[in-house]
Amino acid sequence: MCGLGGILNRYGERMSGREIIRMSCMMRDRYDGRGGGFAGYGIYPRYAEYYALHLFFRDEVAKERTEELLKDRVAIIKDEPVPMRRVREIPPENIVWRYFVEVPHRFRDRKEYQEREEDYITELVFTINDCIDGAFVASSGKNMGVFKATGMPDAVAEMYKVEKYRAYCWITHGRFPTNTPGWWGGAHPFNLLDWSVVHNGEISSYGTNRRYLEAHGYKCRLLTDTEVVAYLFDLMVRRQGLSMRTAAVALTPPFWKQIERMPEPKRSVFTALRMTYSQAMLNGPFAVIVTNRDTMVGLNDRIKLRPLIAASSEDCVYLASEEAAIREVESNIERLWAPRAGNPVIARLNEEVREEVIH
Amino acid sequence: MEIPLRKAKVSREGEFVVVDAKGVHYRELNEVINELVEKGERKLRLINVNGQRYIADGLRCDCYIEIHGVAGDDLAAFANGPTVVVFGDVQDGAGNTMNAGRIIVHGHGTDIIGHSMRGGKIFVRGHVGYRVGIHMKEYREQVPVLVIGGTAGDFLGEYMAGGRIVVLGLERLETYPEIAGEWLATGIHGGAIYLRDEVDEDRLGYGAKVEKLTHDDRRFLEAEVGEFCSIFSLNPEEVLNAEFTKVVPKSHRPFADMYSDAKEG
C-alpha cells in the first residue's frame, strides 16, 4: 500500500517543500520505509536552460566513469554535490551529485533540434543506467529534480533539505514494496527528461509494456514496474505528439463492451487507439501521478483498484491517495472529488483542472 | 522534517467527552477512545479528526461517537454495537465486517464501504465510490442494511451474499448521472439492491437480474428510507414516492459450473 501526493500551483507560483512534506507525512501509515521521494518543478531558476542531472553513484569509480562519459557527450556548466544532511534513518549509500549540462553547439544547427536534443539526453541517461556499474540517473529534466532514497519520505525530505527548495509543482511518494526490491533507484518518483511518475499498485502488464518500449529504444533498468509509465508518456506525448487525453485513452482504454456502445466516430477512434497501442495498455491495479514541466495528471486503472482523490482551491490543484492529506495542507478547498476509473485528471498551468471523461 | 505527533487532549462538554484529535496518530487516538469506553463513558465527540484510521474498530458497546472531520480508512470495522456519526467524509472501507451498530455519514464516502458487512446499518448522505457493499452477507436475523443518499460507483454489491443496499440518487453527478455505475452486482448470490430509478440491464453484472418489488420490499423501504430521512431531515413521502428497481441474484451459485471442466480433467 503506497501513498502518493501532488500539488500544482496553477499560476506557476513557487511553494516551499513544506506542504508536500506534510501531505506525505499524513499518509505515513501507508509506507514501510523502503522508499520515499519527491520531485519539484521550478527549483533551479538560475540554471533553467540546462538539463539538471541528479545522479546516484555507489562509489568514486562509478562517479569518475560517469564524468568521463558526460564530458564526452555534453558540456557541464556546473556540478556540485546535492546538499544533504546526515539522518539517522538512512545510511549514506550513495554519492549524490548534480550536473547542469547543455548539449554541445554542433548539435544546435540541425533541423528538428529540440526533439533531437531530448533524444540525445535520453540516450545519455540510458547509457549511464545500462553501462556504468553503480551509477544511475535519478532525474534529467530542466529546472526540476528528483530527491529519493530508501527510507520514509519525512527522513528523505530531511536528508535532502527538500523544505529549502521552491517549486510550482511537487509530487511525493512513500513506498511499501511488494514485488520488487527496495533500493534507492527503485524509490519513486521515476523520471526521464521532465517526466516524473509516482505510483501506487502494480503494473501487471509490465512485461508487454517493457518489450514494446525496448522496441522503441527505451531501456528498463530500474528493477521495478513503474518506470514503464514514465517512458510510455515520453514516447506517446513527447515523441509521437499525442495529447495527454489521447495518451490516457491508449493507456487505460474503455472495455470493448463500452466501446461498442459508443456513437461514431468516437467508436472508430477508440477502436483504432486500442488496437494501435495494445502493447502500451496498462493493466493491473494502480493510481499514478504523472508530471512534466507544465502539467500534472492523475490516473487510475480501468476498474479503480487503488485510491485517488483530486481537489482544487483558488490557486492549487491537489492529488493524493487520501482526502485527509489534502485537507491537511489546504483549508479553502473549492472542489474535492474521487475521479472515475481510467479518467485522467489533467491540471495544467494557467488552466482549470478537468477530469477527462473517457470511461 | 518529521511532523511531531501530539497527545490527544481530552475535556468534558456537558454529557460528552471531547477528544481533540488534531495531529494525533491513530494508535494513540484509538487507545484513548478504548480507555474512555472501558471506563464507562458512552458519549464521545472527536474533533479535528483528519484521516485517522480504524476509529471505533471492534468496539463492543452501545456508545455514541461523533466524528468531526474526515474519518480515515476502515472506520468502525468489526464494530459490534456503537453508533458512529461522521460530520464530514469517510475514506475507504467504513463498516468493514461490521457486526452490529450504526454508521451515519453526513458527507460522502469512497470505495468498499460496507465491505463484508454482516450486521448493523450504514447511512451515507452523499455519493459513494467503487465496490460499495462488496461481499455483504446475512445470517438469519442478522441482515445488514446500507442506504446511500446520492449515487454509487461501479461494482456496487459485488459478490454480494446477503443484506440490503438502497441507493436513493437524490443528487446526481454532472458527468455520471446514473444512480449506480457499471457491473452492478457482479457475482451477486444473495441479498438485494434497491435503486430509486430505472436501471439499464446493460449495466448489470454477471449473475444479477431485475425483479419486481413485492409488498414486503415496499415495507422494508418505508422503514429504512424512513429512518434515513429522519436522520438527515428529509421528507420520507417525497423520497419514497418514486419507482424503485430491485436487483437480485439469478441463482445462489452463479459460479457453480466454473470449474466443472477442470474437475473432469
Side-chain angles (χ1 to χ4, degrees):
Chain A
M1 188 170 50
C2 303
L4 36 87
I7 313 176
L8 172 83
N9 182 295
R10 274 209 287 255
Y11 306 110
E13 278 166 29
R14 298 191 301 145
M15 314 157 269
S16 99
R18 287 178 193 281
E19 270 73 34
I20 196 73
I21 297 169
R22 274 168 67 203
M23 274 182 87
S24 208
C25 283
M26 274 305 286
M27 298 183 281
R28 74 186 87 209
D29 297 309
R30 307 184 71 86
Y31 327 138
D32 75 348
R34 283 184 291 167
F38 300 83
Y41 291 77
I43 60 172
Y44 297 132
R46 283 180 61 197
Y47 299 96
E49 67 210 87
Y50 306 112
Y51 293 94
L53 306 181
H54 280 200
L55 273 130
F56 291 171
F57 304 115
R58 197 175 51 215
D59 49 35
E60 285 294 340
V61 179
K63 184 165 178 282
E64 278 164 28
R65 287 191 57 201
T66 306
E67 287 179 354
E68 270 169 40
L69 177 72
L70 287 176
K71 281 172 191 157
D72 184 49
R73 299 273 183 99
V74 292
I76 299 171
I77 304 303
K78 181 185 170 67
D79 76 288
E80 62 188 359
V82 172
M84 286 166 86
R85 298 185 183 103
R86 272 293 190 84
V87 295
R88 188 169 28 90
E89 299 90 337
I90 305 174
E93 229 173 78
N94 289 292
I95 302 164
V96 187
W97 213 266
R98 63 189 172 205
Y99 301 84
F100 296 96
V101 307
E102 65 179 345
V103 181
H105 275 280
R106 61 181 184 276
F107 281 84
R108 294 200 174 181
D109 304 330
R110 299 189 183 177
K111 227 169 56 177
E112 298 164 317
Y113 163 74
Q114 178 64 25
E115 191 185 324
R116 280 176 182 277
E117 181 178 285
E118 291 187 326
D119 287 344
Y120 186 77
I121 294 291
T122 305
E123 178 58 33
L124 174 66
V125 168
F126 288 139
T127 305
I128 295 169
N129 290 349
D130 194 31
C131 304
I132 301 179
D133 193 30
F136 78 92
V137 181
S139 60
S140 50
K142 285 180 178 174
N143 200 12
M144 62 82 58
V146 166
F147 305 93
K148 62 182 185 178
T150 309
M152 290 292 260
D154 53 0
V156 172
E158 174 85 12
M159 183 173 77
Y160 283 110
K161 308 184 180 183
V162 169
E163 80 283 358
K164 291 190 187 295
Y165 293 89
R166 295 178 65 75
Y168 56 83
C169 178
W170 284 106
I171 55 172
T172 183
H173 185 268
R175 200 170 174 216
F176 191 143
T178 46
N179 298 337
T180 56
W183 66 299
W184 283 41
H188 304 212
F190 285 89
N191 166 279
L192 181 67
L193 297 169
D194 63 354
W195 294 103
S196 303
V197 175
V198 288
H199 163 221
N200 170 22
E202 291 170 28
I203 307 295
S204 314
S205 52
Y206 172 73
T208 309
N209 303 142
R210 177 180 172 160
R211 281 190 292 280
Y212 178 68
L213 286 162
E214 286 182 343
H216 285 88
Y218 293 83
K219 288 176 183 151
C220 300
R221 293 290 180 271
L222 300 177
L223 312 176
T224 190
D225 51 359
T226 308
E227 67 176 321
V228 298
V229 182
Y231 304 161
L232 283 167
F233 273 93
D234 183 63
L235 172 67
M236 298 166 82
V237 179
R238 181 181 67 82
R239 283 173 57 185
Q240 299 180 337
L242 266 57
S243 69
M244 282 284 196
R245 180 184 193 274
T246 307
V249 173
L251 294 175
T252 54
F255 289 86
W256 287 117
K257 174 183 130 178
Q258 296 165 315
I259 292 175
E260 278 162 22
R261 291 202 302 246
M262 290 174 181
E264 287 291 1
K266 194 177 173 191
R267 183 167 61 197
S268 298
V269 173
F270 275 58
T271 302
L273 275 170
R274 264 205 81 159
M275 293 177 75
T276 309
Y277 288 105
S278 64
Q279 295 177 77
M281 189 177 100
L282 297 171
N283 248 327
F286 64 84
V288 294
I289 301 174
V290 181
T291 45
N292 69 16
R293 70 180 78 95
D294 61 5
T295 311
M296 176 172 81
V297 179
L299 183 66
N300 264 123
D301 64 82
R302 305 189 297 155
I303 51 172
K304 181 71 171 52
L305 288 161
R306 288 293 179 275
L308 187 68
I309 298 289
S312 61
S313 66
E314 200 183 328
D315 299 333
C316 291
V317 178
Y318 298 88
L319 293 167
S321 299
E322 298 191 20
E323 177 176 340
I326 299 173
R327 295 209 183 267
E328 182 69 12
V329 294
E330 181 58 78
S331 50
N332 294 310
I333 291 170
E334 287 176 352
R335 191 177 163 220
L336 182 143
W337 77 104
R340 290 274 168 148
N343 281 350
V345 175
I346 302 179
R348 197 169 269 138
L349 289 177
N350 305 312
E351 285 181 19
E352 286 292 313
V353 57
R354 61 184 192 279
E355 176 181 340
E356 292 282 359
V357 178
I358 60 177
H359 277 257
Chain B
M1 213 193 81
E2 184 165 4
I3 311 296
L5 291 167
R6 297 194 220 176
K7 284 272 183 199
K9 277 190 229 142
V10 180
S11 58
R12 193 169 286 276
E13 214 173 85
E15 52 184 348
F16 278 94
V17 177
V18 180
V19 181
D20 187 347
K22 177 99 185 151
V24 179
H25 191 256
Y26 78 82
R27 264 187 233 114
E28 149 97 4
L29 179 64
N30 288 315
E31 274 167 24
V32 169
I33 295 168
N34 290 342
E35 272 170 35
L36 289 167
V37 169
E38 264 171 44
K39 276 193 217 152
E41 297 292 347
R42 285 295 173 264
K43 287 199 162 187
L44 306 179
R45 180 176 291 146
L46 315 180
I47 60 168
N48 296 318
V49 173
N50 193 27
Q52 283 92 346
R53 298 173 171 198
Y54 313 130
I55 296 174
D57 279 17
L59 278 190
R60 296 166 172 275
C61 67
D62 59 354
C63 48
Y64 175 89
I65 301 179
E66 272 182 14
I67 295 175
H68 296 262
V70 178
D73 294 358
D74 282 327
L75 173 73
F78 302 99
N80 204 4
T83 295
V84 179
V85 184
V86 184
F87 295 95
D89 297 340
V90 283
Q91 293 188 173
D92 296 345
N96 182 354
T97 325
M98 175 175 168
N99 203 48
R102 297 200 308 170
I103 300 177
I104 293 162
V105 180
H106 286 261
H108 304 289
T110 46
D111 303 341
I112 56 169
I113 290 172
H115 176 339
S116 302
M117 193 183 170
R118 40 195 244 179
K121 293 181 185 183
I122 300 178
F123 299 100
V124 182
R125 178 63 189 86
H127 303 291
V128 295
Y130 285 66
R131 296 183 181 77
V132 166
I134 181 172
H135 218 292
M136 273 171 75
K137 57 203 71 172
E138 65 184 66
Y139 182 68
R140 295 188 178 163
E141 53 290 332
Q142 278 279 94
V143 182
V145 175
L146 173 51
V147 187
I148 313 297
T151 61
D154 295 352
F155 301 102
L156 177 69
E158 193 180 28
Y159 307 123
M160 195 172 169
R164 306 284 179 270
I165 299 176
V166 183
V167 188
L168 298 173
L170 299 172
E171 290 84 25
R172 301 301 175 103
L173 298 167
E174 211 174 294
T175 40
Y176 291 91
E178 298 85 4
I179 193 159
E182 300 216 37
W183 296 287
L184 173 60
T186 297
I188 186 173
H189 50 286
I193 302 175
Y194 302 89
L195 303 135
R196 191 173 158 278
D197 201 348
E198 289 176 352
V199 172
D200 183 353
E201 298 228 359
D202 271 4
R203 303 177 80 80
L204 293 184
Y206 183 83
K209 67 173 182 185
V210 167
E211 200 177 79
K212 277 215 163 99
L213 270 77
T214 63
H215 183 65
D216 284 350
D217 291 325
R218 271 275 157 197
R219 283 185 49 191
F220 162 80
L221 287 173
E222 277 162 24
E224 300 304 331
V225 174
E227 188 173 351
F228 182 93
C229 290
S230 82
I231 291 168
F232 297 113
S233 309
L234 297 162
N235 181 343
E237 278 156 33
E238 274 175 30
V239 175
L240 283 163
N241 184 22
E243 284 298 315
F244 281 78
T245 304
K246 182 185 180 189
V247 176
V248 294
K250 276 183 188 160
S251 108
H252 291 284
R253 295 190 64 206
F255 302 112
D257 298 329
M258 199 167 188
Y259 301 107
S260 55
D261 288 349
K263 241 183 269 168
E264 285 159 17

